[in-house]
Amino acid sequence: MSTSENIRPVEQVTVAPLANIVERQQIWSRMAAKYGVENPVPPWKSSLDGICDALDRGGCGPEVLSFVDRRNEEDTLSATVYSTLPYPENQLVSLAHSLVARGVIDETELQHRLAGIRSRLQAG
Amino acid sequence: MSEHEHDHDHDRTAAPMVDEITDFEVLEIALRELCIEKGLFTVEDHRRFTEFAEHIGPTPAAHMVARAWLDPEFKKLVLADAIAASREVGVDWLEPTGFGTPSDFTALHVLEDTPTLHHVIVCALCSCYPRPILGNSPEWYRTPNYRRRLVRWPRQVLAEFGLYLPEDVAIRVEDSNQKHRFMVMPVRPEGTEDWDEDQLAAILTRDCLIGVAVPKVGVTTNAITDTRPAIHPVQH
């Protein structure tokens, strides 16, 4: 939204790998209930907080997504494209969406990485 | 091991875990790896920020207010220089992560309630919050619904949290920003006259320190609030 190459509103950008994730709805409340787990938030939440803080204030690389843009887009995307996801799933997916929409992460690259990580985690 | 010959008590084994790899877990790892590979931050940055996110919570803020209720001199310090007072409860406000990262936590103000004035904090712009001393913000604090409506209809929004303030109590909404963060010092409730700091800190819940609740004898948990989507979401 704030970069010149990204003219379309962020919620009009389609990110296919993220749409697939939404469709499968492996949200924490459902998974926790399925396995009898009582943690109110998923185990990846603090690591996501770490990513957000590192992007906001890490300072070792170029600023690709400002704090205010990140939060505004999270609000917009959570109310539109990802309105079926609860928090913090909507926070995670919105962050990925913002990074793809800005061209920081390429959609195909993300797709390959997701497949690679899943096969790595399932190898054991 | 096919038979239960091993020597342990099943009632004391680890809590159940989600034994399935979820898409969200995979996505979080993918984002982290790609950001690190692209040089947006380092593994070390990420580890330290994650540890920061895991260890912060409302305990230091609760103790700061409890101590202020007990010690008039400390209360003066809290109101005059909250950053100095936060050091007394173990929080270095100016460098909360403790590893030299430039911090945007530059100012902290504690808002003192009186019997006729009640404070409540919000961040109308995004979700700025006094994280080093109060922990991560609750989900509802981040929502556009709370942020927009609290500013317009504070009495109504507080009532949705179960806090019904008499008409003769004025409500002041303090809007946070990236540099200035706030927390509330509620009025010490009756029935706590001979309590010590730990007892007082136990009723100073996160919600009381945000201002969507007031401390009450016997209440040590936060309100459970349904998060509602905004009725008029952002239009571009």
Side-chain angles (χ1 to χ4, degrees):
Chain A
M1 274 199 313
S2 62
T3 52
S4 55
E5 67 269 24
N6 180 20
I7 298 159
R8 275 191 300 169
V10 72
E11 69 273 24
Q12 290 179 19
V13 175
T14 304
V15 186
L18 301 178
N20 293 338
I21 288 175
V22 173
E23 200 170 310
R24 283 160 51 89
Q25 282 284 312
Q26 290 181 312
I27 56 174
W28 181 247
S29 54
R30 205 164 68 76
M31 303 308 288
K34 182 176 171 185
Y35 289 93
V37 177
E38 292 179 351
N39 309 36
V41 290
W44 45 262
K45 172 66 170 106
S46 58
S47 185
L48 172 61
D49 289 339
I51 294 175
C52 292
D53 278 347
L55 281 173
D56 293 344
R57 290 182 274 142
C60 70
E63 185 181 73
V64 292
L65 177 63
S66 74
F67 169 76
V68 170
D69 283 348
R70 175 172 70 73
R71 285 291 293 115
N72 283 345
E73 292 186 14
E74 180 190 328
D75 288 342
T76 301
L77 292 165
S78 296
T80 53
V81 190
Y82 304 118
S83 63
T84 60
L85 292 179
Y87 175 84
E89 282 83 356
N90 55 14
Q91 182 189 14
L92 172 65
V93 175
S94 296
L95 174 62
H97 187 110
S98 290
L99 292 171
V100 172
R102 277 176 169 65
V104 176
I105 293 175
D106 176 75
E107 185 176 318
T108 309
E109 177 185 34
L110 177 63
Q111 183 73 68
H112 287 156
R113 185 61 59 113
L114 290 169
I117 291 170
R118 181 167 279 285
S119 63
R120 204 166 78 207
L121 295 183
Q122 289 176 337
Chain B
M1 194 178 296
S2 59
E3 297 292 327
H4 270 75
E5 293 164 349
H6 48 279
D7 182 21
H8 69 238
D9 178 354
H10 277 245
D11 290 338
R12 295 172 64 88
T13 51
M17 293 170 67
V18 170
D19 191 15
E20 191 172 333
I21 294 156
T22 72
D23 295 330
F24 298 101
E25 177 183 357
V26 172
L27 177 59
E28 187 277 320
I29 297 169
L31 281 191
R32 186 184 351 135
E33 287 184 357
L34 290 166
C35 286
I36 290 167
E37 286 170 22
K38 291 171 189 298
L40 304 182
F41 51 79
T42 65
V43 175
E44 188 68 359
D45 283 339
H46 177 265
R47 183 183 65 76
R48 285 170 159 165
F49 278 117
T50 302
E51 285 175 4
F52 172 68
E54 284 175 354
H55 89 250
I56 53 176
T59 304
H63 277 269
M64 188 157 91
V65 172
R67 201 173 299 173
W69 279 349
L70 292 168
D71 178 351
E73 285 304 311
F74 186 67
K75 182 175 174 180
K76 281 184 201 164
L77 179 66
V78 168
L79 297 175
D81 187 351
I83 290 176
S86 65
R87 264 182 233 119
E88 302 293 315
V89 291
V91 171
D92 182 349
W93 184 267
L94 297 176
E95 206 177 290
T97 55
F99 57 93
T101 304
S103 169
D104 60 39
F105 296 108
T106 53
L108 171 66
H109 308 279
V110 176
L111 311 166
E112 184 185 16
D113 284 353
T114 71
T116 56
L117 176 63
H118 180 85
H119 291 91
V120 57
I121 63 168
V122 68
C123 174
L125 180 67
C126 43
S127 50
C128 296
Y129 188 76
R131 291 176 72 209
I133 200 160
L134 200 49
N136 291 311
S137 57
E139 175 191 355
W140 51 259
Y141 184 88
R142 299 165 56 86
T143 58
N145 184 299
Y146 174 77
R147 287 157 32 204
R148 293 195 198 127
R149 292 174 63 246
L150 183 72
V151 178
R152 291 183 199 157
W153 303 292
R155 212 169 282 275
Q156 181 186 335
V157 171
L158 292 180
E160 289 167 9
F161 283 88
L163 179 59
Y164 297 89
L165 293 171
E167 286 298 322
D168 61 348
V169 176
I171 300 173
R172 189 170 293 164
V173 178
E174 196 71 55
D175 192 3
S176 315
N177 60 44
Q178 208 162 359
K179 300 295 179 191
H180 289 260
R181 310 289 166 102
F182 303 91
M183 58 172 270
V184 177
M185 182 191 293
V187 175
R188 182 173 174 176
E190 290 179 7
T192 62
E193 288 73 18
D194 55 352
W195 285 22
D196 65 19
E197 184 178 317
D198 287 344
Q199 287 173 296
L200 293 169
I203 59 168
L204 282 160
T205 62
R206 176 201 69 203
D207 285 1
C208 295
L209 300 161
I210 294 173
V212 296
V214 291
K216 288 195 177 88
V217 172
V219 178
T220 55
T221 54
N222 295 304
I224 296 170
T225 311
D226 286 337
T227 301
R228 304 177 181 122
I231 293 168
H232 303 292
V234 183
Q235 302 294 331
H236 291 281

